[in-house]
Amino acid sequence: MISYRKKICLIGDFAVGKTSLVKRYVDNIFAEDYMTTVGVSIVTKEVQFDQHARVKFVIWDIAGADKLTTVSRSYLAGANGYVLVADGTRTDTIESALALKAAIDNALSQPKSIQLLNKHDLIDDWKIDANTHAHLHAGMKWQLTSAKSGEGVEQAFISLARRFLDDVR
C-alpha cells in the first residue's frame, strides 16, 4: 500500500472560515461560535482512496493574517502544501490571499496548494466585482466551499490529496 503523511497549512485572513472548514472536514460539524485561532491548531485526517493508496494529512490551522509573519513562516516549515482560504463576502480577503500565495510559494519548495473561496452559502452577500473576478481567475483555480453546509469541503481536500498521489503514480 502507498501511504503518505503530508503536512498542510490552512492560510488566510482573519474570519474567512479556516477553522470552520477544518471542523467540517475532520469532524463533519459546524458551529456558529468558533473562537479565533491563536497561534496554530493541529489535527489529522486520513484520505483513503482504495486499498492501495492513502494520504494522512497533518493539518495546521494557522491563525488568520493578511501577510506572512515570522511566526507564521515558522509554522510553514516542513509543509508539503497549503490550503489558501478567502471569504466571498469580503473582497479584501481575496487580495490578502493573493499576496499570501505569492509569499508562501516563495517560502516553500514547490508546494501543492488549493484555493478555496468560502462562505458560498452566503452567495447573495458576496462582494465580488468584475475586477476581483478577473483576479480570481488569473492562473488560479478557486473552489467554492461552504463550511456551514459542507458544500465542496471534502472534495477540496480530496483533490489536494490526489495531487500528492499523482506525483508518484
Side-chain angles (χ1 to χ4, degrees):
M1 172 178 287
I2 298 171
S3 182
Y4 293 98
R5 183 179 169 107
K6 299 294 180 181
K7 175 182 175 180
I8 60 168
C9 297
L10 264 77
I11 306 291
D13 218 334
F14 290 98
V16 295
K18 296 180 302 296
T19 299
S20 295
L21 286 164
V22 170
K23 285 291 197 185
R24 173 60 74 184
Y25 177 60
V26 174
D27 300 320
N28 197 28
I29 60 172
F30 178 83
E32 297 281 347
D33 59 351
Y34 285 121
M35 295 181 61
T36 299
T37 302
V38 177
V40 66
S41 173
I42 303 169
V43 297
T44 61
K45 170 98 181 207
E46 191 172 281
V47 180
Q48 183 82 36
F49 286 99
D50 54 37
Q51 58 198 26
H52 303 291
R54 70 176 172 217
V55 176
K56 182 175 185 177
F57 282 135
V58 180
I59 303 169
W60 288 50
D61 175 10
I62 298 174
D66 60 354
K67 61 182 182 256
L68 283 185
T69 64
T70 303
V71 172
S72 57
R73 282 183 194 276
S74 67
Y75 291 144
L76 285 168
N80 304 103
Y82 64 95
V83 176
L84 186 67
V85 184
D87 175 348
T89 67
R90 296 171 29 224
T91 56
D92 60 314
T93 68
I94 296 166
E95 295 302 322
S96 295
L98 295 172
L100 284 166
K101 179 174 180 25
I104 295 165
D105 287 347
N106 189 44
L108 296 178
S109 176
Q110 300 180 324
K112 304 283 186 222
S113 68
I114 56 173
Q115 295 79 41
L116 306 182
L117 193 52
N118 196 33
K119 302 188 183 179
H120 196 236
D121 56 293
L122 300 174
I123 188 78
D124 292 339
D125 297 328
W126 279 28
K127 308 290 187 216
I128 299 174
D129 59 19
N131 287 337
T132 306
H133 191 268
H135 275 113
L136 285 176
H137 296 289
M140 295 172 65
K141 181 182 178 191
W142 289 82
Q143 298 177 49
L144 302 179
T145 57
S146 168
K148 186 172 187 174
S149 71
E151 174 192 356
V153 176
E154 182 147 352
Q155 297 87 341
F157 283 91
I158 288 171
S159 72
L160 182 58
R162 280 190 200 288
R163 295 189 61 208
F164 287 114
L165 288 178
D166 287 347
D167 284 350
V168 296
R169 288 187 171 177

